[in-house]
Amino acid sequence: MRNNYKGTTMNRFATKPQVLLLATILSALVAAPGLASAGTSSRIQAPVKLGSAGTFALLSKTGITDVYASVITGDVGASPITGAAIGLTCGEIAAGILYTVDAAGPLPCSVTAATLLTSAVSDMEAAYTDAAGRVLPDFTELGSGEIGGRTLVPGLYKWGIDVKISTDVTLAGGPTDVWIFQVSGGVHQASATRVTLTGGALAKNVFWQSAGAVSIGTTAHFEGVMLAKTLVAVKTGASVNGRVLAQTAVTLEKNTVTQPAP
């Protein structure tokens, strides 16, 4: 019995270094800033319904300005502003229809469809309200607004300040996962940075609701549906895989905007 006791005692104490090592590793993982947001969401979010705004790559209420040449894949429209406030040329619409409220839009490609645009703008505003009204966020004030360098899991994120993407950010999840970012300030993506989707995540399931102005920096790459209360400024050479739906203006500078895959 003595030998058995000693053996048991030795084995029991022999596991302590392993336990301590495991605890150290777990602590390090929790403390690592790049992994701090890589927890799991306690709720599954439903996608934000875009309604008739869901065919638009660009939709604005007060106009779209452009530094030639941009490449747009998806519908383009502005309402209630006159079609003369759409600065794109027909050759910049790679695929899709350019809708205007009157015959003043770019010729010969623009289609006058005031009623359709009124409905699309209404649905855009409803989508903004839906995204802003989601409750019980999984993450609040993450990174004090700085999400660059992080890997973000699906879920509902909420900030009462500006959100900054100063370095690359990754959204990791599957094709049915949903991200909703509620931002009471603006969204500012630095030049030459990327929003990247991994694991099969889809841009159509990523929703950025921004109450303040949005800027996507020079040569940056952005993913997702931007639901903006005010201006969205896409800087020189930046690309968007998603939609830019703004309740004021959209400014473009030699950009590529591609509506997300269905």
Side-chain angles (χ1 to χ4, degrees), residues 34-195:
L35 296 173
S37 57
T40 57
S41 169
S42 59
R43 287 163 293 277
I44 298 175
Q45 294 293 325
V48 175
K49 294 181 179 180
L50 300 179
S52 58
T55 68
F56 285 85
L58 298 172
L59 184 60
S60 164
K61 292 177 68 174
T62 64
I64 300 169
T65 65
D66 175 56
V67 175
Y68 185 85
S70 295
V71 179
I72 312 300
T73 301
D75 293 346
V76 176
S79 175
I81 194 73
T82 174
I86 300 178
L88 289 161
T89 62
C90 294
E92 294 173 282
I93 311 300
I97 300 173
L98 197 160
Y99 292 105
T100 63
V101 299
D102 54 30
L107 296 175
C109 63
S110 61
V111 174
T112 302
T115 301
L116 181 150
L117 283 168
T118 298
S119 177
V121 167
S122 177
D123 287 346
M124 170 180 72
E125 293 171 336
Y128 177 94
T129 300
D130 177 9
R134 299 292 178 98
V135 297
L136 302 177
D138 301 293
F139 306 93
T140 303
E141 310 301 338
L142 179 68
S144 297
E146 174 60 75
I147 62 173
R150 294 179 178 270
T151 296
L152 305 182
V153 298
L156 178 62
Y157 295 73
K158 184 179 182 64
W159 291 272
I161 54 178
D162 287 357
V163 165
K164 299 178 181 179
I165 306 172
S166 299
T167 58
D168 295 351
V169 62
T170 300
L171 310 185
T176 62
D177 288 325
V178 173
W179 290 255
I180 298 177
F181 301 109
Q182 298 175 327
V183 186
S184 295
V187 176
H188 307 290
Q189 182 175 356
S191 298
T193 61
R194 296 185 65 84
V195 177

Side-chain angles (χ1 to χ4, degrees), residues 4 26 106 155 171:
N4 289 339
L26 290 173
L171 310 185

